Amino acid sequence: QKEVEQNSGPLSVPEGAIASLNCTYSDRVSQSFFWYRQYSGKSPELIMSIYSNGDKEDGRFTAQLNKASQYVSLLIRDSQPSDSATYLCALYGNNRLAFGKGNQVVVIP
Amino acid sequence: DAGVIQSPRHEVTEMGQEVTLRCKPISGHNSLFWYRQTMMRGLELLIYFNNNVPIDDSGMPEDRFSAKMPNASFSTLKIQPSEPRDSAVYFCASRRAGLWETQYFGPGTRLLVL
């Protein structure tokens, strides 16, 4: 099993809807988790970090972490066309950041 | 703050040629990372430096790849000889030690090896 897995294909959501992204990981020791957003042709930028079980909200973004089930998710409420991007899940483990392959989100006006 | 600077932004070369990618980290950041991103493999860590010293190069694909950091403000990633499968976007990132959430990526170098 790869360290970080994002298995969902491209996600299309209508403007104003909720986009939900999931990520699973294999390293039980990992304590720090991150979501990066990457626009086409641009570099990844950090949008959320989460370290404890439960939810963390920041504006329209909510990160959810469940260490027992080894998954972390990202919810984007009131999706906007500007949210159209690829979202990368990452975790800190073995003294490095490990990234998933990403999920593409397309918000349809 | 200028951010992480990478050059060139685009590089097209022929198989067998030497390619050198350059990176200037954010001033005051003492950790530097080289990543490679492809559609097939996603974003992979190639090598990282702490205080100019290579810490982990286990992600470097093979001996054709080498990286140096002669000082705190400059690093290079060299591919010699280059092959078509090296075509990818190469990102450099930097951060202050111990603060993973403050890792900042450069704009990347798009490499195409023909």
Side-chain angles (χ1 to χ4, degrees), chain A residues 48-68:
Chain A
M48 289 287 287
S49 58
I50 186 166
Y51 309 106
S52 304
N53 278 328
D55 296 358
K56 179 182 178 182
E57 188 174 314
D58 184 359
R60 296 185 294 107
F61 296 98
T62 299
Q64 300 173 318
L65 175 59
N66 184 321
K67 292 185 179 181

Side-chain angles (χ1 to χ4, degrees), chain B residues 78-92:
Chain B
K78 186 175 293 186
I79 308 172
Q80 167 62 22
S82 58
E83 297 182 2
R85 60 190 168 126
D86 301 329
S87 298
V89 180
Y90 292 81
F91 289 105
C92 176

Side-chain angles (χ1 to χ4, degrees), chain A residues 30-99:
Chain A
S30 296
Q31 296 293 318
S32 306
F33 304 86
F34 308 93
W35 283 98
Y36 282 78
R37 177 178 61 200
Q38 186 175 22
Y39 292 115
S40 179
K42 302 296 184 181
S43 56
E45 57 177 333
L46 179 69
I47 57 172
M48 289 287 287
S49 58
I50 186 166
Y51 309 106
S52 304
N53 278 328
D55 296 358
K56 179 182 178 182
E57 188 174 314
D58 184 359
R60 296 185 294 107
F61 296 98
T62 299
Q64 300 173 318
L65 175 59
N66 184 321
K67 292 185 179 181
S69 300
Q70 294 178 244
Y71 81 80
V72 57
S73 62
L74 179 70
L75 300 178
I76 307 173
R77 294 183 303 279
D78 187 24
S79 296
Q80 301 297 308
S82 60
D83 296 325
S84 296
T86 296
Y87 291 81
L88 305 171
C89 174
L91 62 84
Y92 172 58
N94 296 321
N95 206 28
R96 63 172 59 196
L97 274 180
F99 287 85

Side-chain angles (χ1 to χ4, degrees), chain A residues 21-33:
Chain A
L21 303 171
N22 295 311
C23 169
T24 59
Y25 60 93
S26 58
D27 182 4
R28 286 190 171 275
V29 179
S30 296
Q31 296 293 318
S32 306
F33 304 86

